[in-house]
Amino acid sequence: MDSAFNKRFLERLLQLSKQVNDKIGRKIMFMEVCGTHTTVISKSGLRGILANHMELRSGPGCPVCVTDQADIDTIMALSRLPDTIIATFGDMIRVPGTRSSLEQERARGARVETFYSPREAVTYAAGHPDKEVIFLGVGFETTIPAITLSLLEARAAGIKNYSIFSVHKVVPPAMKALLNDPEQKIDGFILPGHVCTITGRKAFDFISSDYRLPAVIGGFEEVDVMEAIYLLLRQILDGRVETMNGYRRLVHEDGNIKAQEIMGKCFDPVDVSWRGFGSIPGSGLRLKAEYATHDARVRFPIEVPPSSPPEGCSCGEVLRGKLRPDDCPLFSSVCTPVDPVGPCMVSTEGACAAYYQYGIGY
């Protein structure tokens, strides 16, 4: 806690959480549905400070982590194609597939380039017309608009050697899958502020209207997360159930309409598989047929051997909130950031990596 205001706010949270505990007769459990929230909570020490009154459980908030193992293996196969360059954000490099990772493929001679934005990859493709540049479309609503714009830019510029391998996912269907699990014991959700800037608050109204659980959209400062927790506790104490916006400076009721239109212009919703969840209806995006010339799945159809998750890895259970990272028997012993077994220990937004780096705290 860095400021006197935050410390006073925290004291209020502790008092309120004790009141809620007394009201419902047990310790409460909230889930943060965003890897950045997981990092903020871990780094600030909130998880440990509030541990006597509540558990803050991590959920499916990291797009790299929820990418299905079969998709990871297909990416490895794409990297082995001749005259092909895999373009990606950095988090994907060390994610283990069934038999390899991009890091290992690069050591064997594959061309793998990392970029901070997909637009850089388009520029790179323009400068390498003799190569096929495949951008890995890994991400939620937060990153999909920028990747979509890169596609439109490449198309407008007549750049034909730029394509996208889309494993894009959208969050609301995954929330429904999570909530339909009869074993789920979450009392409320801290919703992903970045995603909600695109989707808007209304896209998550079903959590309170259909499932009768409170939810609050959270920003990414310590005080934002504390406010989200405060608003969740307040709802429970007052006997209310709402999907509230705690990130009002950026999130609007209907979201970013322009970004939604851009995504809708290029992508169709499809059923896709998430790590730990299996297939979730309407939770993925595939390029429309008119963009097939930039669709890596169409341009480079390849078959890969059957995939299997890493032996002993509990990433699937961690992503569904069934386990904490330290419940996994491999955590910090066999599986570390230096030698990760599963994606949750690799990605900067992975729950296991955050717990490992900042401590378990309870």
Side-chain angles (χ1 to χ4, degrees):
M1 293 296 116
D2 294 329
S3 71
F5 175 80
N6 283 7
K7 289 176 181 176
R8 289 197 300 274
F9 199 170
L10 182 60
E11 290 172 2
R12 180 69 185 118
L13 269 188
L14 289 168
Q15 293 170 3
L16 198 60
S17 57
K18 184 176 184 309
Q19 289 178 265
V20 170
N21 288 176
D22 291 342
K23 177 180 178 176
I24 66 175
R26 60 175 173 80
K27 192 158 95 171
I28 206 157
M29 182 186 293
F30 294 145
M31 173 179 279
E32 79 270 8
V33 191
C34 177
T36 307
H37 280 151
T38 297
T39 302
V40 171
I41 289 168
S42 299
K43 188 175 181 179
S44 65
L46 271 176
R47 199 183 310 281
I49 295 170
L50 297 171
N52 287 337
H53 301 290
M54 70 177 68
E55 181 175 348
L56 296 173
R57 186 66 65 94
S58 303
C62 167
V64 171
C65 301
V66 299
T67 299
D68 189 69
Q69 191 79 354
D71 288 325
I72 299 292
D73 290 338
T74 303
I75 289 168
M76 300 311 135
L78 288 170
S79 75
R80 299 184 203 112
L81 294 176
D83 297 322
T84 296
I85 298 171
I86 297 295
T88 180
F89 298 129
D91 276 6
M92 285 298 295
I93 295 290
R94 298 178 65 231
V95 174
T98 302
R99 288 161 286 274
S100 179
S101 68
L102 284 178
E103 186 178 50
Q104 291 170 323
E105 293 297 332
R106 184 161 61 183
R108 295 175 185 134
R111 290 288 302 275
V112 181
E113 300 289 342
T114 58
F115 297 96
Y116 288 106
S117 81
R119 190 173 190 182
E120 293 177 352
V122 174
T123 302
Y124 189 86
H128 297 76
D130 58 329
K131 305 291 184 184
E132 292 290 343
V133 176
I134 301 175
F135 192 88
L136 303 183
V138 178
F140 296 140
E141 290 91 334
T142 316
T143 53
I144 297 170
I147 295 173
T148 309
L149 286 173
S150 78
L151 164 68
L152 296 175
E153 182 176 333
R155 193 178 180 90
I159 299 170
K160 298 180 179 179
N161 63 324
Y162 179 75
S163 57
I164 292 173
F165 181 73
S166 174
V167 287
H168 290 135
K169 294 177 176 59
V170 290
V171 175
M175 292 298 298
K176 291 181 181 177
L178 196 67
L179 288 159
N180 285 334
D181 182 348
E183 297 179 359
Q184 195 56 258
K185 297 178 180 177
I186 304 300
D187 295 299
F189 293 92
I190 303 172
L191 296 175
H194 291 331
V195 166
C196 292
T197 60
I198 305 299
T199 65
R201 186 203 63 80
K202 289 181 180 176
F204 291 92
D205 252 345
F206 65 88
I207 297 174
S208 52
S209 62
D210 297 350
Y211 295 91
R212 305 305 300 162
L213 284 173
V216 176
I217 300 167
F220 297 95
E221 302 295 332
E222 283 179 10
V223 69
D224 292 323
V225 176
M226 286 194 291
E227 182 186 12
I229 295 170
Y230 176 88
L231 292 172
L232 286 172
L233 291 169
R234 197 71 252 177
Q235 286 192 53
I236 294 172
L237 199 60
D238 296 345
R240 293 181 290 114
V241 178
E242 300 176 39
T243 297
M244 300 179 68
N245 184 5
Y247 197 28
R248 294 171 296 280
R249 61 187 183 274
L250 285 180
V251 175
H252 306 292
E253 284 290 278
D254 295 312
N256 186 327
I257 302 299
K258 184 65 175 177
Q260 294 170 21
E261 289 174 350
I262 290 171
M263 288 192 293
K265 178 179 180 180
C266 297
F267 289 97
D268 285 324
V270 291
D271 302 350
V272 295
S273 187
W274 294 50
R275 187 184 298 269
F277 288 79
S279 181
I280 301 177
S283 65
L285 296 178
R286 293 285 185 272
L287 282 166
K288 292 178 180 288
E290 55 262 45
Y291 296 97
T293 54
H294 293 281
D295 187 345
R297 291 182 183 274
V298 176
R299 296 190 63 199
F300 310 105
I302 52 178
E303 293 187 6
V304 297
S307 301
S308 59
E311 187 174 353
C313 175
S314 302
C315 281
E317 287 79 8
V318 170
L319 291 164
R320 284 182 293 146
K322 296 293 182 70
L323 295 179
R324 297 189 310 247
D326 57 307
D327 291 327
C328 175
L330 306 186
F331 179 78
S332 82
S333 55
V334 176
C335 184
T336 67
V338 174
D339 191 16
V341 175
C344 295
M345 188 60 90
V346 179
S347 173
T348 55
E349 294 193 344
C352 298
Y355 277 59
Y356 185 94
Q357 182 172 359
Y358 299 110
I360 296 169
Y362 45 76

